[in-house]
Amino acid sequence: MNLCLKCRRRNLTCVCALLKPFKTTSRFIILMHPMEFKKEKVGTGRFSHLILENSKVVVDVGFDENAEFQAVLNDPEYESFVLYPGVEPIDLGTDTLAQKVTKKAQFIVIDGTWPCAKKMMKLTTSLHHVPRVSFKSDRVSEFKVKHQPMPGCLSTVESIHQVLLDLNRMGMENTNQAHDNLMDVFRHTVNQQIDLAKDPNRQGYRKKPFSLPENRKISKKWEGRLLFFKESGE
């Protein structure tokens, strides 16, 4: 299988021609679970990094012993915030963050399935005292090929896009709509996956098409995982 060495997707589904990298004052650190790193389908964390010039991807499960991440976390030029549910996170829908930040902001985004993200957070004790940020949103994920437990639960790229929307509103960023390239590429990859799954001549052809998010029911398995959003994660 031929892979693009840049976006790490098959040449057939390479998205490099769609990428429009842009600069941000804030830095985004994407902590990627190894299983997410190996994905060849959508992989939103990887192309988010390629679009965000001021970003870094670090792959691991627990990051306390990861020298690369610890150096980033302790960078004196940045003030760190982790995008993760908590008891009393800073609401990005208000101006609280703009009033609190004293340096350039650095957002730590955990990229993995919901269970993997919880494990990564639990194992990385150096993140437990980092201020958490979140957004209260009824925004419905456009990740049509993946089940999200409830409205407001977004993929990595959608979460970063929402953060940038809020930072622009607060005056902490001025990306002039460049951030919309994140969603343009995301929508392309999702639609591409749906189209490929419809092809009966391709390996992995789905006899049943992907169901739309609004037609899905939350299973008992997911109902149990909703507790994830009420826990502090440590």
Side-chain angles (χ1 to χ4, degrees):
M1 185 188 305
N2 294 322
L3 291 177
C4 171
L5 297 180
K6 183 177 180 180
C7 69
R8 302 297 297 172
R9 294 167 62 84
R10 290 175 294 171
N11 288 335
L12 175 67
T13 58
C14 174
V15 296
C16 290
L18 302 175
L19 304 178
K20 299 177 182 178
F22 63 93
K23 296 180 179 180
T24 56
T25 301
S26 306
R27 183 162 67 179
F28 291 84
I29 307 302
I30 302 171
L31 302 186
M32 189 176 292
H33 192 279
M35 289 194 300
E36 197 71 25
F37 181 76
K38 295 177 182 179
K39 285 186 178 179
E40 298 173 359
K41 294 181 180 178
V42 179
T44 71
R46 184 178 295 114
F47 70 70
S48 295
H49 165 58
L50 293 174
I51 294 172
L52 297 167
E53 293 184 359
N54 193 9
S55 69
K56 178 182 285 290
V57 169
V58 186
V59 181
D60 216 325
V61 178
F63 294 82
D64 282 347
E65 304 301 323
N66 188 298
E68 182 180 13
F69 173 67
Q70 290 301 315
V72 168
L73 182 63
N74 295 294
D75 187 337
E77 292 188 17
Y78 287 90
E79 189 168 354
S80 295
F81 301 90
V82 57
L83 183 63
Y84 193 84
V87 178
E88 294 182 350
I90 299 171
D91 183 1
L92 292 176
T94 68
D95 292 334
T96 305
L97 181 65
Q99 296 166 359
K100 284 181 175 291
V101 69
T102 58
K103 303 177 183 179
K104 290 184 290 185
Q106 172 170 271
F107 296 94
I108 298 167
V109 183
I110 300 180
D111 187 30
T113 63
W114 297 114
C116 286
K118 183 176 180 180
K119 180 178 181 181
M120 292 162 73
M121 189 67 183
K122 182 177 181 179
L123 293 176
T124 309
T125 60
S126 53
L127 281 180
H128 292 181
H129 301 293
V130 175
R132 299 186 185 187
V133 295
S134 66
F135 41 80
K136 296 177 182 178
S137 173
D138 292 330
R139 179 174 176 174
V140 177
S141 175
E142 295 183 47
F143 212 161
K144 300 175 185 177
V145 298
K146 187 174 181 181
H147 188 98
Q148 302 294 345
M150 60 191 295
C153 297
L154 306 176
S155 65
T156 297
V157 65
E158 291 171 302
S159 297
I160 293 173
H161 181 258
Q162 183 63 47
V163 170
L164 285 168
L165 287 175
D166 288 326
L167 293 179
N168 274 270
R169 179 190 55 75
M170 284 186 276
M172 293 177 63
E173 291 289 349
N174 184 20
T175 54
N176 294 319
Q177 306 303 314
H179 51 269
D180 286 341
N181 184 238
L182 291 162
M183 293 303 299
D184 292 340
V185 178
F186 175 57
R187 292 175 183 129
H188 171 82
T189 57
V190 170
N191 290 330
Q192 185 181 62
Q193 188 174 343
I194 292 173
D195 289 342
L196 289 173
K198 293 178 181 177
D199 185 353
N201 296 316
R202 296 190 60 80
Q203 185 177 6
Y205 165 68
R206 294 172 65 95
K207 294 182 180 179
K208 293 183 178 180
F210 289 108
S211 61
L212 295 176
E214 58 266 25
N215 295 330
R216 298 173 189 156
K217 295 181 180 179
I218 297 178
S219 67
K220 291 183 178 180
K221 176 182 70 173
W222 277 114
E223 286 176 348
R225 289 180 183 174
L226 293 183
L227 292 174
F228 167 85
F229 299 97
K230 299 179 182 178
E231 297 175 354
S232 60
E234 298 78 60

